[in-house]
Amino acid sequence: MSWGTELWDQFDSLDKHTQWGIDFLERYAKFVKERIEIEQNYAKQLRNLVKKYCPKRSSKDEEPRFTSCIAFFNILNELNDYAGQREVVAEEMAHRVYGELMRYAHDLKTERKMHLQEGRKAQQYLDMCWKQMDNSKKKFERECREAEKAQQSYERLDNDTNATKADVEKAKQQLNLRTHMADENKNEYAAQLQNFNGEQHKHFYVVIPQIYKQLQEMDERRTIKLSECYRGFADSERKVIPIISKCLEGMILAAKSVDERRDSQMVVDSFKSGFEPPGDFPFEDYSQHIYRTISDGTISASKQEGGKMDAKSTVGKAKGKLWLFGKKPKPQSPPLTPTSLFTSSTPNGSQFLTFSIEPVHYCMNEIKTGKPRIPSFRSLKRGWSVKMGPALEDFSHLPPEQRRKKLQQRIDELNRGLQKESDQKEALNKMKDVYEKNPQMGDPGSLQPKLAETMNNIDRLRMEIHKNEAWLSEVEGKTGGRGDRRHSSDINHLVTQGRESPEGSYTDDANQEVRGPPQQHGHHSEFDDEFEDDDPLPAIGHCKAIYPFDGHNEGTLAMKEGEVLYIIEEDKGDGWTRARRQNGEEGYVPTTYIDVTLEKNSKGAVTYI
């Protein structure tokens, strides 16, 4: 099958077909270009999506810690790699398919133009030969007619008797001339006809088949190139399928790495305060006010009757006012007891504290010696002191567990900084040695300021590390000690065996007499109308100062190292504990600066205030 033999007379049709083939090639190239743009836009949108949901690295606290978060960010990384593979597909198509198609289309147009020009030239040459042959034919035909006319004229004159001999001779010569010219035109026509037939045979059997063969080969190469581009179009994506499969496998592995138990443990580690849960609330017997009202009628009557009060009774008035901001009160202990009191039991098993001095006299002394205060304002002062108070550098405002983590994190950062400074010091020393051995390279003295600065930074970092390690050791030791003390306390006894009281005395029996703080004999002439005459809060334990605290801020209480204070309000998780001196002065002290012993009340128990 050849175009030259089968389509010898379809030059115009082949012209249109080859032009359609090039147009189709360019159309497919345009399709590939649009596909490339889609891949590029898809990859760009995927990258923007990954960038939108990736965590910001501005703060280390925002880094993902939970396995579900880490898995999600791993999936984002895999999706980012997937977007990169889509870009690879676009680049491969642009280079291997689209670029190749555009170059081939340009070459194809040039080749087609050349072949068509050769075909047109061959057709023009054949047309020229035909015209020459046709002209010679027409001339031969014309000369034959003229010779025929000359013969007819000669025969007419030759048969005419009236014609002269000269006219007959002249007609004969004209006949011979026309006959000769007809013979010459006949020979020329025969030669032109033979030449045209040869050129026509050559045109249709040699020239045109050769040109059509070249056009056929060109069109077949175009078809082959399209086939290769189709295959390259598919191969561009098939090459990245293994990598895309790995990305998808990475997403599956990220999904399998989610560990709900580990995330739950991280929640515990993140928010664990290190404090023990609060103990049971004691029974509050408000009937003591009835006893107190009866006892206030006469002092002698209280002595004679030996008025009895429940050891668990608390000051309801003060506690009620402490609820101004919705703060639920802690388990409270009984108010300050006189210097000598004892417990007694009733037939029904209840235990009461029996005063050995006049209750009214005792209560009046307490009112006079206690500092006037407004509980609601005290809460406001506490909030201000927590914000503005000292000891923020050692994270003492945080719960123990969180404080330990912050200190450990700071120590790690300082160690990294120390390592960096040490490396810089080593580099400077090496450079200094090089300068000393080769003075032309630089002055060793120029490195001395930088070296001194590096040494100062190293010393400063070491001091910071030592200080933070001391705080960390303190937190770790104190957290363990406090937990041991709280777990070892007995819910039915207030004073354990061998416990040291705030005054330094020891007692082995919870029912024995316990010395209270020394009575303050000073008294006020009148009460301040600006404050409410609330009873002091009862103590829930005692503490011993481990470090000195200046207490410059309002609402805080200064203390010296080794000083014993009474706990009247436990730490709420903000790092501050409310305490009271023996003289009645109250304020907040850092929880990390004190060694706390909390005491749980039961019937017949005695506590400090």
Side-chain angles (χ1 to χ4, degrees):
M1 182 186 64
S2 174
W3 287 5
T5 58
E6 302 291 339
L7 303 175
W8 61 272
D9 58 344
Q10 298 296 324
F11 182 84
D12 293 336
S13 299
L14 292 179
D15 185 4
K16 294 179 181 179
H17 172 73
T18 52
Q19 181 62 42
W20 171 85
I22 294 176
D23 293 340
F24 181 79
L25 185 71
E26 291 180 340
R27 182 183 179 188
Y28 178 70
K30 184 178 179 181
F31 161 77
V32 175
K33 181 181 179 181
E34 293 182 0
R35 170 65 188 277
I36 291 171
E37 292 176 353
I38 290 174
E39 291 290 346
Q40 291 175 343
N41 293 332
Y42 179 50
K44 183 179 179 181
Q45 291 177 2
L46 285 178
R47 289 192 182 277
N48 291 336
L49 181 66
V50 170
K51 184 178 179 181
K52 178 180 178 181
Y53 285 94
C54 272
K56 303 299 184 295
R57 299 298 181 182
S58 58
S59 175
K60 292 183 179 180
D61 294 336
E62 298 178 1
E63 294 183 359
R65 296 173 298 167
F66 298 105
T67 57
S68 56
C69 296
I70 296 175
F72 174 62
F73 296 132
N74 289 336
I75 289 175
L76 290 178
N77 292 332
E78 297 294 343
L79 187 60
N80 190 57
D81 295 340
Y82 177 84
Q85 296 309 309
R86 305 318 305 181
E87 291 176 347
V88 171
V89 171
E91 292 175 0
E92 186 71 13
M93 287 183 178
H95 174 71
R96 183 177 175 180
V97 181
Y98 179 73
E100 189 67 22
L101 283 174
M102 296 306 295
R103 288 191 296 270
Y104 187 75
H106 180 268
D107 297 340
L108 204 63
K109 289 179 180 179
T110 304
E111 184 180 358
R112 173 182 174 274
K113 183 179 180 181
M114 181 184 67
H115 294 326
L116 293 179
Q117 286 178 353
E118 290 177 357
R120 290 190 180 95
K121 287 180 180 179
Q123 186 67 36
Q124 289 174 1
Y125 179 71
L126 183 63
D127 292 342
M128 183 187 68
C129 292
W130 182 84
K131 286 180 181 180
Q132 289 178 356
M133 185 270 296
D134 187 63
N135 290 334
S136 63
K137 177 182 177 182
K138 289 178 180 180
K139 188 176 182 181
F140 171 63
E141 182 181 5
R142 186 172 60 251
E143 291 296 330
C144 287
R145 284 195 301 267
E146 291 295 333
E148 186 177 356
K149 289 179 181 180
Q151 185 178 5
Q152 291 176 359
S153 177
Y154 170 72
E155 289 178 353
R156 186 178 67 249
L157 290 175
D158 187 40
N159 295 326
D160 188 5
T161 57
N162 296 325
T164 63
K165 188 177 180 177
D167 293 334
V168 173
E169 192 64 26
K170 183 178 179 181
K172 185 178 179 180
Q173 291 179 355
Q174 185 69 25
L175 175 61
N176 292 333
L177 178 63
R178 290 297 178 184
T179 302
H180 178 71
M181 292 182 65
D183 292 339
E184 288 182 354
N185 288 323
K186 180 181 179 180
N187 294 332
E188 183 179 359
Y189 168 65
Q192 292 293 335
L193 179 61
Q194 185 179 2
N195 181 58
F196 172 74
N197 289 333
E199 292 296 333
Q200 181 176 257
H201 184 274
K202 180 181 178 180
H203 176 79
F204 288 111
Y205 289 94
V206 178
V207 178
I208 289 299
Q210 183 67 26
I211 293 174
Y212 283 9
K213 181 181 179 181
Q214 293 175 352
L215 287 174
Q216 182 179 358
E217 292 176 352
M218 180 194 72
D219 192 70
E220 289 176 354
R221 288 198 309 271
R222 176 191 64 82
T223 306
I224 293 174
K225 177 59 69 174
L226 279 174
S227 176
E228 293 176 354
C229 291
Y230 294 160
R231 187 162 45 251
F233 182 84
D235 288 340
S236 299
E237 188 159 357
R238 187 174 63 178
K239 286 181 179 179
V240 302
I241 286 179
I243 303 178
I244 291 177
S245 298
K246 290 183 179 179
C247 294
L248 298 177
E249 290 175 1
M251 295 181 184
I252 298 298
L253 292 177
K256 292 181 179 179
S257 66
V258 176
D259 187 353
E260 68 280 3
R261 296 293 183 182
R262 184 178 176 186
D263 287 356
S264 298
Q265 184 61 38
M266 285 186 178
V267 173
V268 173
D269 295 339
S270 299
F271 303 111
K272 181 180 178 181
S273 65
F275 296 120
E276 293 294 330
D280 296 337
F281 277 78
F283 176 75
E284 300 178 5
D285 190 358
Y286 294 96
S287 62
Q288 63 173 339
H289 299 292
I290 302 175
Y291 299 140
R292 182 175 296 178
T293 304
I294 298 174
S295 300
D296 289 345
T298 172
I299 296 178
S300 60
S302 64
K303 290 183 179 181
Q304 294 174 0
E305 296 176 0
K308 299 180 180 180
M309 295 181 62
D310 192 348
K312 282 186 173 287
S313 60
T314 58
V315 183
K317 182 179 180 181
K319 291 180 65 176
K321 294 181 180 180
L322 283 175
W323 293 0
L324 178 60
F325 297 108
K327 183 168 67 174
K328 198 171 182 180
K330 287 280 185 176
Q332 304 294 341
S333 300
L336 180 64
T337 60
T339 55
S340 83
L341 52 89
F342 57 91
T343 60
S344 62
S345 300
T346 59
N348 59 3
S350 301
Q351 295 181 352
F352 294 93
L353 294 177
T354 305
F355 290 93
S356 61
I357 62 174
E358 299 175 358
V360 176
H361 179 266
Y362 160 69
C363 293
M364 293 300 295
N365 285 337
E366 279 303 302
I367 293 174
K368 293 178 180 180
T369 56
K371 291 182 63 176
R373 67 191 184 284
I374 301 179
S376 59
F377 289 169
R378 181 70 67 188
S379 300
L380 293 176
K381 291 178 182 178
R382 179 186 183 186
W384 182 86
S385 64
V386 169
K387 293 180 180 179
M388 302 300 295
L392 294 179
E393 184 181 5
D394 60 350
F395 301 109
S396 59
H397 61 288
L398 297 176
E401 186 68 19
Q402 304 302 321
R403 182 188 181 196
R404 182 187 66 79
K405 291 182 179 180
K406 289 290 185 181
L407 289 174
Q408 185 63 52
Q409 182 179 357
R410 181 188 288 174
I411 290 173
D412 294 340
E413 293 177 355
L414 292 174
N415 283 326
R416 288 193 293 268
L418 179 61
Q419 182 64 36
K420 183 177 179 181
E421 294 292 337
S422 300
D423 294 341
Q424 184 175 359
K425 173 188 173 184
E426 184 177 357
L428 290 173
N429 286 329
K430 290 181 180 180
M431 189 179 297
K432 183 178 180 182
D433 294 339
V434 172
Y435 287 174
E436 290 176 351
K437 294 178 181 179
N438 302 291
Q440 67 274 10
M441 297 183 66
D443 182 16
S446 62
L447 301 176
Q448 193 61 33
K450 186 64 177 177
L451 191 59
E453 181 183 355
T454 304
M455 292 296 296
N456 292 333
N457 291 337
I458 291 175
D459 294 338
R460 178 180 56 80
L461 289 173
R462 285 176 178 172
M463 291 178 62
E464 289 291 330
I465 291 173
H466 179 71
K467 180 171 63 174
N468 284 274
E469 285 179 347
W471 286 336
L472 182 61
S473 300
E474 169 195 337
V475 173
E476 291 176 347
K478 184 173 295 185
T479 303
R482 180 184 296 183
D484 295 340
R485 286 194 301 271
R486 291 189 179 184
H487 285 296
S488 62
S489 61
D490 189 352
I491 193 171
N492 294 323
H493 295 83
L494 178 63
V495 184
T496 58
Q497 184 175 359
R499 180 182 60 80
E500 183 180 0
S501 66
E503 291 74 27
S505 62
Y506 290 84
T507 178
D508 296 333
D509 188 359
N511 295 326
Q512 292 180 359
E513 177 184 347
V514 180
R515 288 187 299 154
Q519 298 290 335
Q520 300 294 327
H521 299 288
H523 60 277
H524 300 279
S525 58
E526 59 182 7
F527 295 105
D528 192 348
D529 295 336
E530 296 179 358
F531 300 96
E532 300 177 6
D533 53 348
D534 296 333
D535 293 333
L537 291 175
I540 59 174
H542 67 276
C543 65
K544 185 176 181 180
I546 305 175
Y547 308 104
F549 178 63
D550 51 14
H552 290 323
N553 293 327
E554 184 179 0
T556 59
L557 181 64
M559 62 182 180
K560 299 178 181 179
E561 183 176 357
E563 184 178 358
V564 177
L565 304 173
Y566 299 102
I567 305 298
I568 59 176
E569 188 175 336
E570 192 180 357
D571 188 355
K572 299 294 191 299
D574 53 10
W576 296 89
T577 301
R578 190 174 178 182
R580 180 194 296 139
R581 280 202 181 92
Q582 295 180 1
N583 59 5
E585 185 179 359
E586 296 180 1
Y588 290 92
V589 296
T591 306
T592 56
Y593 280 46
I594 57 176
D595 187 7
V596 180
T597 300
L598 295 178
E599 299 166 348
K600 298 181 180 180
N601 298 328
S602 62
K603 291 186 178 182
V606 182
T607 185
Y608 299 105
I609 56 173

